Amino acid sequence: MCSVRNFTNLGGDLESLYRKDYQAIFFDLDGTLYHEKKFKFLFILLHPFYALEAKKLGDLRNQVRSIQKLNFSNYDYIDLNIKKGTRLKIQREIWPAILSRVGYFKGVDSVLKFYKSKGIFLAVVSDDAPEEKLKGLGLREYFDFVVDLNDHGCLKPSPEYLRCLLKEKNFDSNHCLFVGDKEKLDGKLASTLNMHFLCMPDFKKWSRVLE
């Protein structure tokens, strides 16, 4: 497995990412494709009531990760015990509107366009309303597959859902790349499945390599 903290660490071998002929590239979303802290700041600033509702203690995802004896992030938002209407408003209206202002990291669209044009399978593996967020970012069209792990009761770094997906698509994990921002979650998931892992890449430099 190739574990790289930053894409630039590949030095003279930057172009090897494409030359390895990956069958699929899987992306985490929050903190990987866009500036998560900026998003959170605007969420709290513009919608303090909903931010408070989303921040309630007893977050179901944290409980699941505790049961799985994982080190979970205290950044998690949604408590699935809050009213359904409130949760849907947050996910389907507020978050996409905020993300349309935050935007994605520079170079993300160029990288995705390149791999899309090469016919490489692109997917987002997240646990926090990824469909709605991608639409807000204007990136949904680039991905062949988007999964919200909350819907399957299998949060990162549990590999079960992704293992099944690799089998279903007949992908060799040695020819797949996982791109994320948390080594304890994304990195561990990739390692368990023997996938290559790229942590917090500089998409601008990555896109220049692909030109």
Side-chain angles (χ1 to χ4, degrees):
M1 185 193 72
C2 172
S3 179
V4 185
R5 180 174 295 276
N6 190 292
F7 191 72
T8 56
N9 289 352
L10 287 171
D13 295 325
L14 285 173
E15 296 184 25
S16 66
L17 182 67
Y18 172 63
R19 290 175 179 169
K20 284 192 68 65
D21 193 25
Y22 286 105
Q23 294 177 331
I25 303 178
F26 299 87
F27 293 85
D28 169 57
L29 177 55
D30 304 312
T32 298
L33 298 182
Y34 72 90
H35 199 302
E36 189 177 15
K37 289 185 178 180
K38 185 184 293 185
F39 164 71
K40 292 174 184 176
F41 173 78
L42 286 177
F43 183 35
I44 294 171
L45 179 67
L46 300 175
H47 303 280
F49 169 75
Y50 290 108
L52 181 62
E53 284 294 294
K55 190 68 174 177
K56 283 182 177 179
L57 297 176
D59 187 327
L60 182 59
R61 285 175 299 160
N62 286 354
Q63 294 174 24
V64 171
R65 286 187 175 133
S66 295
I67 292 171
Q68 294 177 339
K69 297 182 180 179
L70 305 177
N71 292 321
F72 55 82
S73 169
N74 60 4
Y75 289 158
D76 291 334
Y77 284 135
I78 297 182
D79 178 350
L80 297 185
N81 293 317
I82 66 178
K83 293 180 180 179
K84 184 177 180 180
T86 300
R87 185 171 73 252
L88 292 178
K89 182 176 180 63
I90 291 171
Q91 293 179 335
R92 296 179 180 178
E93 298 179 29
I94 297 176
W95 283 355
I98 294 174
L99 285 170
S100 68
R101 298 176 61 174
V102 172
Y104 44 78
F105 288 129
K106 291 183 178 179
V108 165
D109 56 339
S110 297
V111 169
L112 295 177
K113 284 178 184 177
F114 177 85
Y115 287 112
K116 186 76 172 177
S117 71
K118 299 300 179 182
I120 294 176
F121 183 86
L122 300 178
V124 164
V125 179
S126 183
D127 54 17
D128 213 347
E131 283 280 0
E132 290 78 6
K133 288 183 176 179
L134 286 172
K135 290 174 183 176
L137 290 167
L139 296 175
R140 180 60 183 89
E141 64 181 292
Y142 297 113
F143 293 98
D144 303 291
F145 188 81
V146 177
V147 60
D148 186 337
L149 294 177
N150 267 318
D151 295 337
H152 302 275
C154 185
L155 303 181
K156 291 184 290 185
S158 174
E160 297 310 315
Y161 182 85
L162 196 51
R163 179 182 285 122
C164 291
L165 180 61
L166 292 174
K167 183 177 181 180
E168 177 186 326
K169 298 292 184 181
N170 198 29
F171 290 145
D172 181 345
S173 61
N174 288 304
H175 293 282
C176 294
L177 172 70
F178 198 101
V179 183
D181 69 318
K182 296 180 178 67
E183 293 192 42
K184 288 184 178 181
L185 297 180
D186 305 313
K188 185 175 181 180
L189 171 60
S191 177
T192 301
L193 294 174
N194 200 32
M195 297 170 65
H196 296 266
F197 176 57
L198 185 58
C199 189
M200 300 180 69
D202 183 327
F203 284 96
K204 286 177 64 178
K205 293 182 179 179
W206 188 351
S207 65
R208 286 199 293 267
V209 169
L210 299 175
E211 292 177 352

